[in-house]
Amino acid sequence: STEEVRYVLKQSKLLKDEKYAGVNQKSYLSGKNVVVLMNKTSTRTRSAFEVAAFDLGMGITFFGGTGQMGVKESIEDTALVL
């Protein structure tokens, strides 16, 4: 919804402002993990996601378009593990 998009943009701005002000954000999502799934590789996009996740304290798992997801195990099984 429009309200949800505005909320996400507002939160993003707050986090970015805090980062530039030197606020330590590592505790915000400490212990959480994010999976980055990219069908097409992009160094800038991948780097942006990884830096943001690291800044917020998250662990990162990356799957690129040339990986084996869905080959040996089903995508559903992979999703359950993640």
Side-chain angles (χ1 to χ4, degrees), residues 1-18:
S1 71
T2 301
E3 292 145 9
E4 291 170 320
V5 171
R6 284 189 178 131
Y7 173 79
V8 168
L9 293 174
K10 181 181 174 185
Q11 290 302 108
S12 299
K13 173 133 177 45
L14 288 172
L15 289 170
K16 194 169 217 177
D17 290 346
E18 282 185 359

Side-chain angles (χ1 to χ4, degrees), residues 62-78:
F62 174 80
F63 290 112
T66 59
Q68 291 188 337
M69 191 163 43
V71 176
K72 286 184 152 186
E73 297 90 10
S74 70
I75 292 174
E76 291 82 5
D77 285 344
T78 302

Side-chain angles (χ1 to χ4, degrees), residues 10-73:
K10 181 181 174 185
Q11 290 302 108
S12 299
K13 173 133 177 45
L14 288 172
L15 289 170
K16 194 169 217 177
D17 290 346
E18 282 185 359
K19 178 179 178 170
Y20 289 125
V23 174
N24 183 347
Q25 301 171 316
K26 292 245 185 255
S27 64
Y28 289 0
L29 295 170
S30 179
K32 303 291 183 183
N33 295 293
V34 64
V35 175
V36 178
L37 303 169
M38 296 181 71
N39 191 33
K40 296 178 183 177
T41 58
S42 169
T43 303
R44 287 180 296 171
T45 302
R46 179 180 176 176
S47 297
F49 273 100
E50 289 184 358
V51 168
F54 178 78
D55 285 349
L56 296 171
M58 287 189 279
I60 304 151
T61 300
F62 174 80
F63 290 112
T66 59
Q68 291 188 337
M69 191 163 43
V71 176
K72 286 184 152 186
E73 297 90 10

